[in-house]
Amino acid sequence: MDLNLNGKVAFVTGGGQGVGRRICLDLAAEGARVAVNDLFPTRAQAVVAEIEAAGGQAFAAVADITREAEVNAAIAAAEQALGPIDILVNNAGVLVERREKGGAAPMFVETTPDAWERIVALNVFGMMYCCKAVLPGMQARRYGKIVNIMSEAGRAGEGRLAVYSGAKAAMLGFAKAIAQEHGRDCVNVNVIALGAISHEGIPEGALHPDATPENNERLGKMLNAYPIGRGLRRLARPEDVSGMVCLLASDRAAYITGQSIGVSGGYVML
């Protein structure tokens, strides 16, 4: 299927590794020019180099998206280098820190406002700053695609992840509201909900790309929560997500807006 993204410009937050990296690479493979946002310059530049080596166009948009001024500067620089932003993928996010030695995350009553602020700043305010920066241009051009990457914790709730669940749920509620406000401007806004993802940024454990049910007992137990994962004998991979992003970023999805789509192997079924 030709998604016809040639000439489109995408801005992807958290694009330096994992799911974000694969989203950047696949959008570029579909013909889009990609602004790779990351907090760390070396990660953003490495993905840009991959895209350029494959014949695509990309720009390293380094910024801390929890700071509005940095977001505005990064998007302005990206637009100067690549053109007006047609596609925004709000992928950057942060999870709560686990206890030492891989233990369970703390209960909500054991957490502090400092920890809440870090989670909400990136997952919620970072998304809002990016949307605020690109929406006027999309509105003026009567064209835009916004895709928020959330967690199934935001659709179902998850114990010991209360603040994270709330922040991810905010991404969904915000997307639905923006879809209502800007449908008249031909701006599509959708959300993709993820479960556990195996990717190269994880050094060890059940989410490492080389983990299998045979060599990792924890992975075998985790697969019980993912109906299709039991059959495929694996967790989701970044390429399972990036294909859906590319579809929602294309005009093949022109009549899809305000929706949450689970790419989580059936972890949550709505």
Side-chain angles (χ1 to χ4, degrees):
M1 180 185 295
D2 182 4
L3 297 179
N4 194 28
L5 297 182
N6 291 320
K8 303 299 184 187
V9 177
F11 189 98
V12 182
T13 69
Q17 68 173 12
V19 172
R21 169 181 169 269
R22 177 50 57 184
I23 290 170
C24 290
L25 294 177
D26 285 0
L27 284 169
E30 292 289 342
R33 300 191 294 271
V34 182
V36 182
N37 163 257
D38 203 276
L39 178 63
F40 301 100
T42 54
R43 294 205 307 219
Q45 291 160 0
V47 177
V48 168
E50 285 188 85
I51 292 171
E52 292 178 339
Q57 290 181 265
F59 174 79
V62 179
D64 177 354
I65 65 165
T66 67
R67 298 179 182 276
E68 186 178 16
E70 290 192 30
V71 169
N72 292 340
I75 287 178
E79 292 194 322
Q80 183 174 11
L82 302 176
I85 304 298
D86 301 295
I87 301 160
L88 170 64
V89 183
N90 288 304
N91 167 75
V94 64
L95 190 59
V96 297
E97 294 184 5
R98 303 284 176 174
R99 296 185 190 275
E100 293 183 6
K101 298 181 180 179
M107 300 282 281
F108 171 70
V109 294
E110 300 173 303
T111 62
T112 65
D114 287 343
W116 309 345
E117 184 174 351
R118 177 170 173 264
I119 293 167
V120 173
L122 187 56
N123 288 290
V124 181
F125 280 92
M127 169 201 64
M128 290 181 174
Y129 292 148
C130 290
C131 287
K132 181 74 177 296
V134 303
L135 274 167
M138 291 179 174
Q139 186 176 28
R141 295 186 301 276
R142 291 185 53 76
Y143 186 90
K145 310 288 185 180
I146 297 175
V147 182
N148 290 346
I149 307 297
M150 66 177 287
S151 166
E152 290 288 22
R155 297 206 301 176
E158 189 165 339
R160 297 184 180 273
L161 294 178
V163 177
Y164 179 77
S165 295
K168 290 301 187 181
M171 295 183 76
L172 176 55
F174 181 80
K176 290 181 177 181
I178 296 301
Q180 290 275 3
E181 291 183 11
H182 289 283
R184 69 190 66 187
D185 304 313
C186 300
V187 176
N188 300 75
V189 189
N190 292 290
V191 178
I192 297 174
L194 309 183
I197 301 285
S198 173
H199 66 81
E200 84 284 351
I202 299 170
E204 59 184 15
L207 272 63
H208 188 275
D210 293 334
T212 68
E214 291 73 28
N215 66 27
N216 190 291
E217 182 180 355
R218 182 166 174 258
L219 173 59
K221 294 177 180 178
M222 287 177 67
L223 290 180
N224 289 328
Y226 299 91
I228 202 66
R230 295 197 295 269
L232 295 175
R233 306 289 286 167
R234 66 171 177 85
L235 293 172
R237 296 169 179 162
E239 56 266 32
D240 295 315
V241 182
S242 58
M244 181 59 69
V245 172
C246 290
L247 175 62
L248 292 175
S250 78
D251 287 337
R252 292 280 185 168
Y255 222 75
I256 302 174
T257 197
Q259 303 303 307
S260 63
I261 301 170
V263 181
S264 58
Y267 182 78
V268 172
M269 296 187 183
L270 297 178

